[in-house]
Amino acid sequence: MFRSVCRLACAAFLGVGAVWAQGDEGSGPPRSSSLGFLVDAASVEEIALPPAPPGAALRVRLQADWADVEREAGEYDWSALEPLIARLDRTGYRVVLGLTGSNPLHSPDGAPPSPGESLDGWLAFVRSAVRTFAGRLDALEIWSGGAGAPASCSTVFDPAGYAFLLKNSALAARAEARAAGVELRVAQCPVAPGGAEWQRSLWAADSAAYVDVLPVRLPAHEGAEASRRIIEE
């Protein structure tokens, strides 16, 4: 089973104009970036959603753990997500799929993807996701950081290491989407509270051009003022 079958993000993962001002080259997001808001919600095995109102940009965020999908080398089982994504697509919701986790087939020590065999395996996983759900995904999130996921991005990767993974993953995902004749946005891992400096270092590693959506993890129980401070930071 997927660690997190579904997280509702209809009000929590919204594409809006970036609130950061454009800085020097390499120091901030491109003007075309979107700022996503990601608030963890309880996992549910099934969801009962009415059809999305016409013209509404309502999103549902799903998460796929690499080790759950690829249990045998080179074989990808998306059957746990396929019916749900098909239903969401039929009812007008936009799906954000977060990919995350290590895989003992490629990294026996449990380390995240890094240059070499584990990166090659991860990129094949990324391409499989795009191929399988071509045209039904609004965005692909690289190393998802929702509740129930492995440790958040900034505790797993240094900015340079994540930038390398993000760039390679974005190139693989976009190439696969182009081959399928569909559009796909790339979301980086969510920025956690207190992660602004890590994010600035990530931008300094020339990662901005590879990102379409910047999710920000907001505290679920600390009120609007706390969320406002995190966004301003």
Side-chain angles (χ1 to χ4, degrees):
M1 287 295 294
F2 290 88
R3 285 198 179 100
S4 174
V5 175
C6 178
R7 307 187 194 284
L8 298 185
C10 296
F13 195 105
L14 304 178
V16 300
V19 298
W20 280 279
Q22 181 71 24
D24 296 335
E25 184 176 355
S27 67
R31 295 185 186 277
S32 59
S33 286
S34 296
L35 177 63
F37 295 96
L38 174 61
V39 178
D40 291 335
S43 299
V44 290
E45 291 296 328
E46 296 180 357
I47 58 174
L49 293 175
L58 299 182
R59 290 173 175 82
V60 171
R61 177 181 174 277
L62 310 175
Q63 184 172 293
D65 188 286
W66 183 14
D68 289 338
V69 175
E70 187 186 6
R71 295 179 180 273
E72 297 185 18
E75 299 292 329
Y76 306 96
D77 181 6
W78 296 99
S79 59
L81 277 180
E82 173 64 43
L84 181 54
I85 288 180
R87 179 155 56 95
L88 291 168
D89 185 57
R90 286 196 306 270
T91 51
Y93 287 87
R94 299 183 183 182
V95 176
V96 178
L97 179 61
L99 304 182
T100 199
S102 184
N103 191 316
L105 296 173
H106 302 278
S107 184
D109 61 357
S114 59
E117 180 185 350
S118 65
L119 178 63
D120 292 341
W122 169 268
L123 296 179
F125 169 54
V126 169
R127 289 191 291 268
S128 174
V130 178
R131 253 192 331 270
T132 301
F133 302 116
R136 293 182 286 171
L137 298 181
D138 177 65
L140 194 72
E141 187 179 283
I142 307 302
W143 196 270
S144 175
S152 64
C153 199
S154 60
T155 64
V156 175
F157 298 95
D158 60 44
Y162 180 68
F164 184 81
L165 179 69
L166 175 62
K167 292 173 184 180
N168 280 275
S169 300
L171 290 172
R174 289 169 175 171
E176 203 66 47
R178 283 196 301 270
V182 300
E183 294 185 359
L184 178 69
R185 299 194 298 166
V186 173
Q188 70 160 70
C189 61
V191 180
E197 190 57 40
W198 187 93
Q199 182 63 39
R200 293 186 188 100
S201 296
L202 181 63
W203 282 328
D206 297 322
S207 65
Y210 298 84
V211 175
D212 303 301
V213 180
L214 173 62
V216 176
R217 177 180 284 179
L218 302 178
H221 305 294
E222 296 183 21
E225 181 61 25
S227 296
R228 184 188 63 79
R229 287 197 302 269
I230 291 170
I231 293 171
E232 289 180 349
E233 180 187 12

